[in-house]
Amino acid sequence: MIENVCIPNGMGWSPDDRTFYFTDSPSKSIVAYDFDAETGNISNKRTFFTLDDGDAVPDGCTIDSEGYLWIAIHEGSRVIRVSPEGKQVAEITMDAWKITCPAFGGPDNDTLYITSAGVGIDDPKPKGCKDNGAVFRFKTSTTGLPANKFILSMTGMLFI
C-alpha cells in the first residue's frame, strides 16, 4: 500500500479511525492518510509532522485518547507529543540516546512505557546518556487508545 519505504517505524490511527499515521524514519517525517476502516484503504497522503533536529529521526509512536501522537526521537534522547494539527506541544527527555518506541499501558492505560536501544562501541555517547538500552515509564495526564484489532479475509486485512 505504501511504496519506496526505507525504515518504517511508527504507525497508528486517530481515535475516530479516520486518519492513519506512518513514519519512515529516514524521511524525518510522519505522513497522514485518510483511512477507510471498512476496506482498509488509505488515500490522500500528506505530511503531518517533520522533525528538524540534526541526525535525530522520528521512530516508533503511539496515539493517546485525545488524538495526540507520542513520538520517539531516535538519537535525540526524548519523546515528543504532537497535536492532531501537527504541532509539538510537549516533550519528555531521558538519559538514553536512541529512544525507540512509546506505548501506553498500566492498570488505567495512563502510563507511557518508553524503550531505548543500547549503543555500540563506535556509537557517539552523548553526555548524560547513561541509561542506553533501558525501558522508562512516565505517568501521563491522558490515556492511550485501546489496541486495534485486525482480521485476515479473502480480500485482505481488515480493520475491526
Side-chain angles (χ1 to χ4, degrees):
M1 295 178 74
I2 302 172
E3 296 180 353
N4 301 317
V5 174
C6 185
I7 304 174
N9 272 313
M11 64 177 150
W13 287 261
S14 61
D16 65 4
D17 295 326
R18 297 179 67 188
T19 305
F20 170 65
Y21 299 97
F22 181 79
T23 304
D24 184 26
S25 291
S27 73
K28 294 185 165 245
S29 294
I30 295 174
V31 294
Y33 294 88
D34 293 340
F35 180 72
D36 183 331
E38 288 186 31
T39 65
N41 290 329
I42 56 174
S43 61
N44 190 27
K45 178 182 179 181
R46 58 207 177 270
T47 300
F48 169 73
F49 178 80
T50 301
L51 182 69
D52 184 18
D53 183 16
D55 291 334
V57 298
D59 204 327
C61 69
T62 192
I63 301 175
D64 67 30
S65 59
E66 299 171 355
Y68 288 70
L69 277 73
W70 295 77
I71 306 163
I73 306 301
H74 194 264
E75 297 186 8
S77 300
R78 67 191 183 283
V79 169
I80 60 173
R81 187 178 190 222
V82 175
S83 72
E85 296 76 35
K87 305 292 182 204
Q88 181 179 333
V89 297
E91 79 176 22
I92 304 167
T93 58
M94 281 141 283
D95 290 333
W97 184 45
K98 296 180 177 182
I99 306 304
T100 54
C101 194
F104 281 96
D108 298 318
N109 204 26
D110 62 351
T111 300
L112 196 64
Y113 293 91
I114 303 165
T115 59
S116 68
V119 295
I121 293 171
D122 296 329
D123 283 336
K125 301 193 180 43
K127 186 176 180 175
C129 291
K130 61 183 176 12
D131 294 328
N132 297 304
V135 176
F136 302 88
R137 73 172 177 221
F138 179 81
K139 187 82 160 179
T140 69
S141 60
T142 188
T143 59
L145 292 173
N148 289 317
K149 296 180 181 179
F150 299 87
I151 60 171
L152 188 58
S153 73
M154 297 303 287
T155 58
M157 189 174 357
L158 299 177
F159 181 69
I160 58 172

